[in-house]
């Protein structure tokens, strides 16, 4: 996810990150990205007010390309499953269902089954990394035998069945 976010920054997009997993997964990773002039914000799940503002802004956005990176879409959806956060959950659902507003979503998940089917249907391209349960690939529109081996950065582009390698540039 970080490599894709860096690529978007280099392409001139404004990048916003929702870190629903916590910084421990990427020590200094998202914080380093936050220092880039093109990064609008890195918002953690516990920052409820900032998260609400970001989701509202993203839903209303048109114009300059934005990339919203969600590190832990499944964790974010679980975190918003709180009666006090119903509006945030509604905004997330709206954002995931929106298409063509100038906002691209790059999302990572631990549990494939937690991804909304409406969101999957709207995804023009699905990049699949190694899955612990290859049968989860069926949910992503590809056969289990196409799941890439556990090699860091190795992906299969589901709709093309093409294998690729993602590498992070040396510097932001």
């Amino acid at each position: 996810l970080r490599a894709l976010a860096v690529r978007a920054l280099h392409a001139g997009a404004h990048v916003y990150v929702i870190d629903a997993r916590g910084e421990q997964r990427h020590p200094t990773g998202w914080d380093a990205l936050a220092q880039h002039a093109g990064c609008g914000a890195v918002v953690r799940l516990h920052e409820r007010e900032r998260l609400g503002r970001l989701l509202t802004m993203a839903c209303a956005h048109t114009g300059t390309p934005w990339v919203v990176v969600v590190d832990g879409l499944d964790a974010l959806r679980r975190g918003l499953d709180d009666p006090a956060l119903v509006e945030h959950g509604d905004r997330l659902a709206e954002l995931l269902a929106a298409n063509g507003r100038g906002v691209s979503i790059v999302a990572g998940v631990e549990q494939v089954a937690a991804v909304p089917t409406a969101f999957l249907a709207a995804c023009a391209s699905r990049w699949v990394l190694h899955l612990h349960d290859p049968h989860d690939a069926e949910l992503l529109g590809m056969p289990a035998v196409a799941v890439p081996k556990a090699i860091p950065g190795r992906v299969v582009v589901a709709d093309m069945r093409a294998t690729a390698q993602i590498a992070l540039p040396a510097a932001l």
Side-chain angles (χ1 to χ4, degrees), residues 18-41:
I18 299 172
D19 180 11
R21 292 200 200 294
E23 189 62 25
Q24 70 274 7
R25 280 186 53 92
H26 304 285
T28 74
W30 295 128
D31 286 338
L33 191 79
Q35 304 306 312
H36 191 284
C39 183

Side-chain angles (χ1 to χ4, degrees), residues 50-118:
R50 290 184 71 214
L51 179 60
R53 281 195 312 263
L54 174 56
L55 291 170
T56 299
M57 287 185 341
C59 286
H61 179 74
T62 58
T64 308
W66 273 23
V67 174
V68 176
V69 178
V70 182
D71 188 3
L73 178 59
D74 47 345
L76 176 59
R77 291 185 73 219
R78 279 191 309 274
L80 295 179
D81 194 22
D82 176 337
L85 299 175
V86 169
E87 285 187 33
H88 293 3
D90 290 347
R91 292 287 173 268
L92 177 63
E94 181 183 342
L95 181 62
L96 295 177
N99 199 1
R101 273 199 224 162
V103 178
S104 297
I105 309 292
V106 176
V109 298
E110 290 286 327
Q111 302 294 321
V112 175
V115 179
T117 54

